[in-house]
Amino acid sequence: MFASALSQLRYATAVLRNGPIRPRDLDRIARELLATLAEFGEPGDDTALLPGRRAAVDPAVRRTVTARSLRATARAAVRHTAYYRQVFDQLGLNPATLDLSGWSQVPVTPKRALRSLPAAFVSTAARPALLALTTGTTGAPTGVWFSREELELLTALSTISAAISLGLRPEHTVAYAGCSRATLALLNAEESVTRIGAGFVQLGTIEPESALDRLAAPLGLPGKAAQITHLTTSASYLAALVAQAERGGWRSEDFGLRQISVGGEVLSGPLRERAAAVLGGQVANSYLMTELVPAGAAPCPQGHLHHGTEFGHLEVLDPQSWEPTLPGGTGMVVHTPFVPYRECTLLLRYATGDLVRLPAVPPDCEMAELPATSDIVGRWTGPLSAALPTRDLLDLLEAEPDVPLPTRYALTDEPDGAVLHVLVRRLPSTTLLGRLEDRATAAGLPLAAIRPYDDRDAMPPTVPLRADLREHGFADLGPSHSTRLAGRP
Amino acid sequence: MNTTALAALSGVTALAVALALGYLARIRMPRPPVGVHTAGDVAVVCVGVVLAPLLDLALPTPVVVTVFGVVLGTAVQFTLAPLLGGRWAWPAAAAGIGATLALHASPTGVLAATDVLLLIAVTGVTNLWVQSGMRAAHVAALAGALAVYDLVATTLTSVTLRFAAEVRGQPFAPQLALTRGALPVSLGLGDLLLLVLFPLAAAKAYGRRAALLAAAVGLAVVSSVSALFAAHVLTAGFPLLTALGPLIVAQQLYWRQRRGRERTWAEWRSGAREAAPPPVNPAERALRATAAPGLPEDCWLAVRDDRVVGVGATPGLARRDARRLGRTPTAVRQR
């Protein structure tokens, strides 16, 4: 306990001074938490005080700490990265004098700037160790370099989060059904889950039929629940699993799932309900992004997404004017991850491309002290994407069993207005179309028309989905390939 | 020595153990979000025990009284807080400290007040340690280390005797004294802590019988030493922990051998009589299951214990087949 208290004291001192965090301190706190859970079955009082637990902070104190963290992050970015040195020089900005009211003088960093030259954002004071590539659903993958120390911090924070938020315990087994190239998420999940003593299975994005089979199969392991208990995946791959499960006659009793964690893509309400019905367990989504980690957001029971203030600064801005979005409006998440949690790739006012709505009235939920937005409602590709965000369209389409999952759709701007192109099971689909039109009108979606297709090739380009990043097994490659392999010496 | 006081010493020791065990059974002390007692913490306690008398001998008396008063007051406060609430625990602790100081004109009053504060503090400290996850093995390690230390400090050197002479009669002196004078009937704070601590740790780790045995062994040691003093076999300070320590270690070894491992706090609170046994491996019985003839060679069998309860072309389908038949398999294996 004395050593743990010392680590907590050193960690708190580093945070208050915006100084470097010793990974060993956070690692010790995470390990002590696991030891506490092993002995007592639950953490002690005041878990909100643990790193990353989104403790309520007095607003005035939060403003002071945020201003100081922003200054420290800007100072480090200007001193150590090529991109921000140039930007601040050109604008004549002094990072040491920035405060919250003047923060808007710092120009928003577009995603393409990071994508085009990740090295321009890497601090000369850090030792880059891992290049985490995004899956590139919006085009070419974005690369973010992390140092070894950052990876250790992230693992410790993930361990704390998994043990407390997810309630993960040694008897559980987590299946990770995400793209294997999502390096950071995969490394973090594997390391934190196994540190807790829980089991970890990397399923990958294999054929949904095989994935369902593996989720259903009894593990037969001593000390573990009979089946896989937790599933981490993207919304579109979850949709593929739901489609296969509904088609294949699977029922929730066939699985032992307690929780399905969804991230990386927009999760619709109907998909959440269908997944819970056919796969079992609670379906929860959170917000984490490779570029922003460890900063992220978690949902509250009232459906808000609450953004922690410990690891970064959230702004919700109009994607065209970069002015703050008004309450009730739709804007883009612009985020500044703080030093000392980040030391390698430094980003100031990073435009994530993710769209959210701001609550029209201040929330009164249990996490009301933290900045709140809606769930991620879509990705900014132009004004149409804000007027008709992905979430609204998926809520419309994924409630219809006759629209195959994962939903294939495209939105085009035509002279008469926005047209929604959607892949359906079969044509003609007059009844389905009527239902969709009625529900779109009732939901107030500004659509000029809905056009159904039964051939995906005939559609305009559809939204890229992570579920399409399928990993093949030898059986998927066909008999000739298998034969060649079998004949290999 | 006063034989009545010597007999009463065993009674007071029994009272201290009973108070602490009652507190453990009924009162939950607040815990920090993370933190469990470790071997490192035992080492810190050992260092504290070794350094305390040496520092006391080196420091002026007013400083020593102040330090002991603050430490004792804090311990009384956190002991009473779960009972009275944080709001009243501080005034109660302050009143106890104030009353002890106010009795400075009456040596007997100071002695009695200090004894009461010590009993409360020992109840709280031992509970704090055990309720923070201190294990019986930790207490045994502490007892083993202090057994050697007590031999050195009390018998081979004069540290304990000089320390006892220094604090004798002072308010908040770290010894439970029943009489005054040059050779009082008393127990050192370290002795009392160990006498109370091991029954508590044993209760959590191994259950009621272990706790009763631990308490009985402690009382037997105190009573035996008292008897030796009454018979004038012993006439000067005796290293109680040198006698008690090995007995605590022996009990720990016995229970460990008998029970396998200690119960965790969570197991104790859930009412488990013993630590959870090692989990059963379902694969052992699954290997013994035999499939009905006529099934394809490469089919999968869903197995419960050593019976096949479902069949399928894949592990998941075999499990689903079992579910359709109303069975819950514990393993699957290929035929």
Side-chain angles (χ1 to χ4, degrees):
Chain A
M1 291 193 94
F2 289 112
S4 170
L6 270 179
S7 294
Q8 291 175 54
L9 189 65
R10 273 198 300 260
Y11 170 75
T13 308
V15 170
L16 287 174
R17 298 178 56 211
N18 295 110
I21 297 171
R22 292 181 0 148
R24 236 181 334 154
D25 289 334
L26 256 184
D27 184 59
R28 182 185 284 275
I29 294 170
R31 288 181 194 278
E32 283 282 338
L33 171 64
L34 300 182
T36 304
L37 293 174
E39 176 67 25
F40 298 100
E42 58 190 7
D45 305 327
D46 301 325
T47 51
L49 299 176
L50 286 173
R53 300 310 309 145
R54 300 183 177 88
V57 178
D58 176 76
V61 173
R62 191 205 294 159
R63 273 197 298 278
T64 307
V65 173
T66 300
R68 207 171 52 193
S69 297
L70 286 173
R71 261 198 307 276
T73 306
R75 264 202 310 268
V78 172
R79 192 178 299 158
H80 299 303
T81 73
Y83 181 86
Y84 290 111
R85 192 178 311 127
Q86 211 169 79
V87 167
F88 275 62
D89 280 352
Q90 281 169 2
L91 296 172
L93 282 175
N94 179 2
T97 59
L98 284 172
D99 57 17
L100 271 178
S101 59
W103 186 242
S104 58
Q105 297 172 64
V106 177
V108 168
T109 304
K111 200 168 189 142
R112 68 173 179 283
L114 177 63
R115 190 185 296 147
S116 66
L117 188 54
F121 294 85
V122 172
S123 166
T124 51
R127 282 182 295 179
L130 176 86
L131 176 61
L133 293 169
T134 65
T135 44
T137 46
T138 51
T142 306
V144 186
W145 279 101
F146 289 91
S147 67
R148 179 71 217 173
E149 288 74 18
E150 282 177 323
L151 296 177
E152 287 171 16
L153 288 183
L154 291 175
T155 301
L157 291 169
S158 297
T159 305
I160 293 169
S161 174
I164 294 183
S165 302
L166 210 56
L168 212 59
R169 297 290 182 270
E171 65 268 26
H172 296 144
T173 302
V174 177
Y176 184 87
C179 175
S180 299
R181 282 170 289 155
T183 326
L184 192 67
L186 182 57
L187 282 177
N188 244 338
E190 183 274 330
E191 187 63 29
S192 55
V193 167
T194 53
R195 270 189 191 196
I196 289 171
F200 183 80
V201 182
Q202 158 62 353
L203 287 183
T205 46
I206 54 174
E207 282 302 316
E209 193 178 356
S210 302
L212 290 174
D213 202 84
R214 288 178 198 178
L215 290 173
L219 297 168
L221 288 170
K224 292 270 183 263
Q227 292 166 285
I228 286 169
T229 52
H230 293 68
L231 171 66
T232 300
T233 189
S234 62
S236 61
Y237 191 71
L238 177 65
L241 292 179
V242 168
Q244 181 62 39
E246 289 176 345
R247 195 166 50 238
W250 292 93
R251 285 165 45 175
S252 59
E253 304 92 277
D254 291 320
F255 307 100
L257 288 172
R258 297 180 185 196
Q259 174 129 19
I260 301 173
S261 304
V262 182
E265 287 176 329
V266 175
L267 174 68
S268 74
L271 178 60
R272 183 195 296 259
E273 288 165 19
R274 287 169 72 175
V278 75
L279 299 177
Q282 279 191 325
V283 183
N285 64 326
S286 56
Y287 181 60
L288 274 177
M289 194 177 192
T290 302
E291 295 95 313
L292 307 182
V293 288
C300 75
Q302 286 189 22
H304 306 115
L305 203 54
H306 290 272
H307 301 255
T309 54
E310 188 178 352
F311 303 138
H313 178 56
L314 166 81
E315 296 171 87
V316 179
L317 304 180
D318 181 281
Q320 291 172 295
S321 67
W322 299 124
E323 289 297 319
T325 301
L326 297 174
T330 301
M332 186 191 291
V333 172
V334 173
H335 212 286
T336 304
F338 291 152
V339 296
Y341 302 99
R342 289 289 290 269
E343 60 162 30
C344 192
T345 296
L346 300 178
L347 295 166
L348 305 178
R349 305 193 85 204
Y350 181 71
T352 62
D354 291 325
L355 296 173
V356 289
R357 289 198 184 99
L358 285 182
V361 292
D364 58 356
C365 57
E366 61 192 44
M367 296 166 80
E369 298 87 359
L370 294 174
T373 65
S374 68
D375 264 348
I376 303 300
V377 296
R379 186 167 279 278
W380 171 256
T381 52
L384 197 58
S385 62
L388 279 163
T390 308
R391 172 66 191 258
D392 293 354
L393 299 174
L394 291 179
D395 279 348
L396 172 74
L397 299 173
E398 291 183 341
E400 282 294 345
D402 287 337
V403 175
L405 294 175
T407 310
R408 306 289 177 181
Y409 76 92
L411 203 57
T412 55
D413 200 4
E414 298 185 10
D416 293 337
V419 175
L420 176 63
H421 308 261
V422 57
L423 187 69
V424 299
R425 290 196 198 285
R426 66 191 73 81
L427 290 177
S429 58
T430 319
T431 317
L432 169 65
L433 192 58
R435 280 202 307 269
L436 287 175
E437 285 171 346
D438 288 347
R439 290 187 36 242
T441 306
L445 298 183
L447 285 169
I450 299 176
R451 288 193 198 136
Y453 298 78
D454 63 355
D455 178 7
R456 193 175 158 194
D457 292 337
M459 296 176 69
T462 57
V463 177
L465 299 177
R466 281 184 163 85
D468 293 333
L469 299 172
R470 201 56 64 78
E471 294 171 29
H472 298 295
F474 288 122
D476 307 320
L477 299 175
S480 60
H481 189 88
S482 301
T483 309
R484 277 208 310 278
L485 280 171
R488 191 177 284 174
Chain B
M1 272 187 160
N2 184 330
T3 51
T4 309
L6 282 168
L9 195 60
S10 297
V12 175
T13 305
L15 175 67
V17 173
L19 279 175
L21 281 170
Y23 193 98
L24 180 70
R26 289 173 181 80
I27 307 296
R28 291 286 73 78
M29 300 183 92
R31 281 190 291 121
V34 297
V36 181
H37 248 278
T38 62
D41 297 317
V42 174
V44 171
V45 171
C46 283
V47 170
V49 168
V50 172
L51 288 182
L54 297 176
L55 283 173
D56 173 65
L57 290 171
L59 292 171
T61 301
V63 175
V64 172
V65 170
T66 306
V67 170
F68 282 143
V70 169
V71 171
L72 203 53
T74 306
V76 168
Q77 188 277 335
F78 69 66
T79 308
L80 296 179
L83 295 166
L84 306 179
R87 192 174 165 191
W88 294 106
W90 273 119
I97 297 295
T100 308
L101 290 172
L103 290 167
H104 69 277
S106 160
T108 306
V110 167
L111 184 137
T114 301
D115 284 353
V116 170
L117 292 176
L118 276 175
L119 281 175
I120 296 171
V122 165
T123 299
V125 170
T126 51
N127 266 277
L128 183 74
W129 286 350
V130 172
Q131 295 195 27
S132 299
M134 193 179 215
R135 294 171 163 263
H138 293 146
V139 183
L142 182 64
L146 293 185
V148 176
Y149 166 76
D150 208 9
L151 181 68
V152 173
T154 307
T155 308
L156 303 181
T157 66
S158 59
V159 171
T160 304
L161 293 180
R162 282 192 295 132
F163 173 69
E166 182 76 20
V167 299
R168 190 177 306 142
Q170 286 178 8
F172 322 123
Q175 56 182 12
L176 187 88
L178 298 188
T179 59
R180 298 185 289 120
L183 195 58
V185 174
S186 66
L187 274 174
L189 180 59
D191 305 335
L192 188 60
L193 276 173
L194 256 293
L195 283 165
V196 175
L197 184 59
F198 191 64
L200 261 63
K204 188 207 88 173
Y206 304 116
R208 184 190 298 249
R209 286 173 61 194
L212 290 175
L213 178 64
V217 168
L219 285 174
V221 170
V222 172
S223 302
S224 303
V225 173
S226 293
L228 292 174
F229 272 109
H232 304 288
V233 176
L234 294 173
T235 53
F238 178 78
L240 190 82
L241 292 180
T242 304
L244 182 63
L247 292 172
I248 289 177
V249 173
Q251 288 175 77
Q252 163 63 11
L253 292 175
Y254 169 77
W255 289 113
R256 179 68 188 250
Q257 176 70 23
R258 194 174 161 133
R259 293 284 166 82
R261 77 172 175 85
E262 298 185 27
R263 287 186 299 192
T264 62
W265 178 266
E267 286 169 335
W268 177 62
R269 292 297 299 160
S270 70
R273 290 177 63 83
E274 293 185 10
V280 176
N281 189 346
E284 281 187 28
R285 301 189 80 172
L287 283 172
R288 291 201 288 270
T290 50
L295 289 172
E297 279 301 316
D298 59 350
C299 74
W300 288 82
L301 310 174
V303 180
R304 181 173 183 83
D305 298 331
D306 52 3
R307 288 186 305 118
V308 175
V309 293
V311 181
T314 65
L317 291 176
R319 203 272 176 198
R320 190 167 81 174
D321 185 48
R323 187 264 297 165
R324 285 175 171 164
L325 295 169
R327 311 280 168 76
T328 306
T330 50
V332 284
R333 72 172 177 87
Q334 201 159 22
R335 193 187 167 189

